Amino acid sequence: MRKLLLQSLFRQPLTEQAPRPDDAAIAELAATVGRTARRRLGRSLSIREVDAGSCNGCELEIHALSNPYYDVERFGIRFVASPRHADVLLVTGPVTKNMREALERTYSATPDPKWVVAAGDCARDGGCFAGSYAVVSGVSAVVPVDLHIPGCPPPPMTILRGLLSLLEEVDAGDTAR
Amino acid sequence: MPALIDLIRAGRRVERHNPWRRVSVDGGTWRSAASALADGSLSLLGLWGEPSRVHMALLDNRTSDIGVISLDCPDRRYPSVAARHRPALRPERTIHDLFGLVAIETPDSRPWLDHGRWQMQAPLGERLDAAPDPAPYPFLPAEGDSLHQIAVGPVHAGIIEPGHFRFTASGETVVRLEQRLGYTHKGVEGLMAGSTVEQAARLAGRVSGDSTVAYALAFAQAVEAAIQIAVPPRALLLRALMAELERLANHLGDIGAICNDASFALMHAHCGVMRERVLRAADAAFGHRLMRDIVVPGGLARDITADGSTAIRAALEQIRRHFPSLVELYDNTASLQDRTVGTGIVTAALARQFAAGGYVGRASGRTYDARRSPGYHPYNGLRFDVPTLDDGDVNARVWIRIREVEQSLSLAGQILDALEAGPIKVPLQIAPEPCEGIALVEGFRGDILAWLRLSDGRIERCHLRDPSWFQWPLLEAAIEGNIVADFPLCNKSFNCSYSGHDL
């Protein structure tokens, strides 16, 4: 373990390592998200993730946001365990009928001001699950949505970009509910 | 007790069902199959319904034969398998929820996927109006001095899928865990009925996002078996390459996440880096990080990119160099071992009884891997080991993953070496008359069963059985007697799919 830790001390961080355009974009994007979030919310942006019936593909990519390549926590964006600690609900899935009430109650438990981000194609309108007897169809049918992030699943970069555009919108005018 | 071949002989063979036989049997044969499951000569691979018929996919543990027996039940009742063989219980409750068929003498008649919110009952059978005021779900009772209950979910603290866990604890010790699942039920089998093969393939790839390649592969193999076509060798190799990359990415993610649940974040960070490298290589090679919608019936939707092999080889090489030091770290960190060794034990008898696949089965002595038996191309031409351990604890499930990472690294290398130019797809020519296909594919989590019937060029009925069906119940057993605080660790070491199970 000492060797691994020692190596980590002297090695360049992964996020700043490669000069390829997408890596540079990550750093830039993440920095902007951090600045805007701080301006708007003082310290940080707390996100509560809610799986309202997804296939778990979106969850994998949301998880990836916390890996050393994207490391969103450096910029004050963090995932919290309770909706009561959250500014943003990040909702995935086509909202199954069995999850509808849980989503509504999570929304009510989130203090104002709050924003809802629907991540993934099925969170927009049910995607390929639309029309099923077991599916409500889209997050906005259950709670008001401020932003949709497209993709099946959206890659971590796209999710980060989505959070940025939400913050810009929030900055331009107070859309929080 | 009858062997599978005796049960098959006792029935009437159904034509155009490939590659294994399906027979129609009477109630007596159905019951003797249930007894053969109970005495351990057969294993249950799947149990599913149609509006007035039930099917059971069986594995003969001695000969490794696979077959399907079907029972017509025009009166909408059939003899319960779960009455004799408990692993059939949740599938039977599901058949009741979806088709309204009643299992006679079932030990548990509570609903399973139906939470009373679909505005109807038996959505895939003869639909009925929903009960006006569904009764609250009765959890199993636990009685004793100073027991208390902890209700967790469906919305959990982490970024994970929804499900409800009802713990009964005595102090810190879990006396009973009861799961309630079905929150992510999307009605996939209902959507598939009547859809085109292309639509159904997209749905199959979205049953469980972490296994999108394995599901697409299982579905594609079942279609190809039904219409009796052979896929070009290059497509077979690339499919296996994607399947191994998926296994690598998931196992690396799991190893890190299990250690993270024991508060050992260093492993999590390093494993996260390796997982990300695999996903980026997959993106470079196939244009999608999770390789979704690339395996399609008939072959592949697109070929590997020109520099895809190089990207994958580079990722494999990085992992090969870096992974051993992490394995050493895991092995030599006493505080971590203290959490994983002896925690959440699944006995070999239970793993056998439930025919648990993947690392859950292999950590408890059940040597079953669908790549080996029944086996499918191209694995019969590749060298790999199926690691098995007997301890059945969290530690054993970590070690199985570690060994499988090594195997997948080797397999991916072998596949890249064997890759030759050639076509990647054959056209689908689907005759109008009904035909049926079945496939068993090894996903990272275990064996995935796909069964379907094509009719008039469309899907008439498709059933996809996730490995989690036979792993979730074992988690209830594994946590018993452990402390509540170890549940996340046990749960992560299983990493069952909610979406794959709920369908």
Side-chain angles (χ1 to χ4, degrees), chain B residues 168-331:
Chain B
T168 304
S170 171
E172 274 196 291
T173 310
V174 178
V175 177
R176 161 176 271 168
L177 161 66
E178 190 181 357
Q179 297 151 355
R180 193 188 183 202
L181 303 175
Y183 289 93
T184 70
H185 178 72
K186 296 179 270 295
V188 171
E189 296 189 352
L191 288 165
M192 280 188 166
S195 73
T196 63
V197 170
E198 291 74 25
Q199 287 167 334
R202 283 176 61 81
L203 282 165
R206 283 159 181 79
V207 168
S208 185
D210 49 17
S211 304
T212 179
V213 173
Y215 264 96
L217 184 55
F219 178 81
Q221 283 192 6
V223 171
E224 288 149 12
I227 60 176
Q228 294 283 287
I229 55 168
V231 173
R234 182 176 173 84
L236 290 173
L237 282 169
L238 287 174
R239 284 174 171 191
L241 177 62
M242 285 188 272
E244 294 311 319
L245 291 178
E246 183 175 83
R247 200 181 321 278
L248 262 181
N250 281 308
H251 280 350
L252 289 168
D254 279 359
I255 294 167
I258 293 168
C259 296
N260 196 44
D261 276 342
S263 304
F264 198 69
L266 183 64
M267 280 287 276
H268 184 51
H270 282 275
C271 288
V273 169
M274 287 190 285
R275 178 185 156 82
E276 181 69 20
R277 280 182 178 154
V278 176
L279 297 187
R280 287 180 177 201
D283 193 22
F286 297 103
H288 192 286
R289 286 163 55 90
L290 304 182
M291 298 166 282
R292 185 164 261 175
D293 296 331
I294 294 164
V295 177
V296 293
L300 298 175
R302 78 178 79 126
D303 206 334
I304 189 169
T305 56
D307 49 1
S309 297
T310 320
I312 293 172
R313 276 190 205 278
L316 297 179
E317 189 45 43
Q318 278 173 327
I319 296 169
R320 250 184 230 119
R321 260 205 325 267
H322 195 46
F323 192 58
S325 62
L326 294 182
V327 175
E328 201 189 316
L329 176 63
Y330 175 78
D331 205 17

Side-chain angles (χ1 to χ4, degrees), chain B residues 67-153:
Chain B
V68 180
I69 64 169
S70 310
L71 177 67
D72 285 321
C73 36
D75 58 349
R76 313 178 62 70
R77 293 149 59 85
Y78 64 97
S80 167
V81 179
R84 292 179 171 83
H85 185 57
R86 216 35 82 94
L89 187 55
R90 287 176 180 179
E92 276 186 7
R93 290 165 69 185
T94 301
I95 291 171
H96 179 262
D97 289 355
L98 298 183
F99 296 94
L101 304 179
V102 176
I104 303 164
E105 290 176 20
T106 175
D108 189 344
S109 58
R110 292 176 299 166
W112 182 237
L113 299 184
D114 186 354
H115 294 191
R117 298 180 185 250
W118 299 337
Q119 287 116 19
M120 67 180 79
Q121 295 178 54
L124 304 185
E126 286 179 23
R127 290 186 174 187
L128 297 169
D129 290 337
D133 199 12
Y137 185 79
F139 284 92
L140 297 174
E143 288 167 13
D145 282 339
S146 49
L147 294 184
H148 65 282
Q149 286 206 330
I150 309 167
V152 180

Side-chain angles (χ1 to χ4, degrees), chain A residues 34-92:
Chain A
R35 260 202 318 277
T36 326
R38 263 191 292 279
R39 197 160 64 234
R40 178 70 204 169
L41 298 157
R43 301 177 304 278
S44 63
L45 186 65
S46 294
I47 302 175
R48 170 66 249 200
E49 200 268 349
V50 184
D51 177 340
S54 89
C55 73
N56 79 29
C58 289
E59 277 61 38
L60 295 176
E61 295 298 55
I62 292 169
H63 259 296
L65 283 176
S66 303
N67 79 27
Y69 280 93
Y70 305 100
D71 193 14
V72 288
E73 286 216 13
R74 289 180 300 159
F75 305 100
I77 295 180
R78 55 193 197 108
F79 290 95
V80 292
S82 167
R84 297 193 196 284
H85 307 154
D87 310 305
V88 172
L89 289 186
L90 181 58
V91 188
T92 63

Side-chain angles (χ1 to χ4, degrees), chain A:
Chain A
M1 178 152 62
R2 271 192 223 111
K3 201 174 138 205
L4 273 174
L5 289 171
L6 200 67
Q7 281 172 352
S8 306
L9 270 181
F10 293 109
R11 216 172 31 205
Q12 288 282 310
L14 289 164
T15 20
E16 294 169 10
Q17 180 188 44
R20 288 187 297 133
D22 59 329
D23 279 356
I26 295 169
E28 185 193 327
L29 197 55
T32 330
V33 172
R35 260 202 318 277
T36 326
R38 263 191 292 279
R39 197 160 64 234
R40 178 70 204 169
L41 298 157
R43 301 177 304 278
S44 63
L45 186 65
S46 294
I47 302 175
R48 170 66 249 200
E49 200 268 349
V50 184
D51 177 340
S54 89
C55 73
N56 79 29
C58 289
E59 277 61 38
L60 295 176
E61 295 298 55
I62 292 169
H63 259 296
L65 283 176
S66 303
N67 79 27
Y69 280 93
Y70 305 100
D71 193 14
V72 288
E73 286 216 13
R74 289 180 300 159
F75 305 100
I77 295 180
R78 55 193 197 108
F79 290 95
V80 292
S82 167
R84 297 193 196 284
H85 307 154
D87 310 305
V88 172
L89 289 186
L90 181 58
V91 188
T92 63
V95 191
T96 61
K97 290 194 178 159
N98 288 350
M99 270 307 285
R100 181 184 192 135
E101 187 190 340
L103 176 59
E104 286 167 349
R105 286 169 71 165
T106 307
Y107 182 77
S108 328
T110 311
D112 291 324
K114 59 188 164 192
W115 295 271
V116 177
V117 177
D121 287 346
C122 40
R124 172 180 284 278
D125 56 6
C128 60
F129 304 111
S132 166
Y133 62 87
V135 161
V136 180
S137 100
V139 177
S140 59
V142 181
V143 294
V145 172
D146 297 285
L147 177 76
H148 287 102
I149 300 176
C152 186
M157 270 294 286
T158 312
I159 302 174
L160 211 55
R161 202 174 288 134
L163 293 174
L164 172 69
S165 60
L166 171 80
L167 281 158
E168 281 173 348
E169 189 189 316
V170 167
D171 247 13
D174 198 2
T175 57
R177 279 164 247 265

